[in-house]
């Protein structure tokens, strides 16, 4: 019984990780409140989670705000670019309903291609900038290359997050359940699951570059 509840037992590690995710989620939500800081907050969230997966984290809150401050400008620019391009692509899909014939077919194909590129970048860009030092341009290009080179991992990330979004939008009960979920750890938990997949992808390139 003493070994079961010791600090080195598997149960203690799981409980400690749950508490860490809850605290990290709370810090993330508070940091996102100004809206403009969502990019920096997401970058800091992934920075802590990537270290957590590799058992490199020391102080979660301290590490979060160190990353938040260090990458604020770059992450904010990337966030604004992401929102702008995402809005344009969404408007393109909405505009398709007013077209017909060959023009609609061509524009649908273009929208799908740009949408895929957008998803490749957004799935990896913040974990990438959280893990590596690079320019905004190289971060976007490398995120795109990583996404297109690891389609199974990309699809797993998109599917996992899409299921969550679908549940939220499916009904009032789904929305309330989703709201409760993200309030008490959901954002950090989803990001943690994403980071588990992404860290395996990154590890292939890190081994190659050694």
């Amino acid at each position: 019984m003493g070994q079961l509840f010791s600090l080195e037992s598997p149960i203690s590690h799981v409980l400690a990780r749950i508490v860490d995710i809850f605290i990290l989620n709370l810090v993330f939500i508070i940091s996102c409140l100004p809206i403009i800081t969502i990019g920096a907050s997401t970058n800091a969230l992934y920075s802590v989670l990537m270290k957590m997966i590799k058992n490199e984290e020391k102080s979660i809150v301290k590490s979060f705000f160190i990353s938040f401050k260090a990458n604020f400008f770059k992450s904010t620019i990337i966030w604004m670019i992401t929102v702008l391009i995402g809005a344009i692509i969404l408007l393109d899909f909405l505009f398709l309903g007013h077209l017909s014939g060959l023009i609609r077919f061509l524009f649908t194909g273009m929208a799908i291609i740009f949408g895929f590129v957008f998803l490749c970048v957004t799935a990896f860009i913040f974990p990438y900038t959280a893990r590596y030092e690079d320019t905004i341009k190289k971060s976007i290009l490398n995120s795109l290359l990583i996404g297109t080179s690891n389609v199974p991992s990309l699809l797993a990330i998109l599917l996992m997050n899409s299921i969550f979004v679908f549940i939220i939008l499916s009904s009032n009960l789904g929305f309330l359940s989703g709201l409760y979920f993200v309030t008490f750890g959901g954002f950090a938990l989803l990001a943690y699951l994403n980071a588990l997949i992404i860290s395996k992808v990154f590890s292939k390139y890190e081994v190659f570059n050694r």
Side-chain angles (χ1 to χ4, degrees), residues 6 12 28 37 76 100 121 199 210:
S6 69
S12 295
F28 172 74
T37 59
T76 302
S100 60
V121 173
S199 62
R210 286 178 181 174

Side-chain angles (χ1 to χ4, degrees), residues 36 45 71 98 101 108 142-143 147 160 168 170 187:
I36 191 67
L45 176 65
N71 297 288
H98 301 282
T108 299
N142 287 337
S143 296
M160 181 168 56
I168 289 181
S170 61
F187 285 123

Side-chain angles (χ1 to χ4, degrees), residues 50-58 63 131:
M50 300 293 280
K51 292 177 182 177
M52 187 183 295
I53 291 171
K54 292 179 174 290
N55 294 315
E56 297 174 352
E57 90 285 357
K58 296 180 180 179
S63 296
R131 191 68 185 173

Side-chain angles (χ1 to χ4, degrees), residues 79-100:
W79 163 247
M80 294 174 67
I81 293 173
T82 301
V83 171
L84 177 61
I85 295 178
I88 292 173
I89 293 175
L90 178 60
L91 290 174
D92 285 342
F93 276 104
L94 294 175
F95 181 70
L96 292 175
H98 301 282
L99 301 177
S100 60

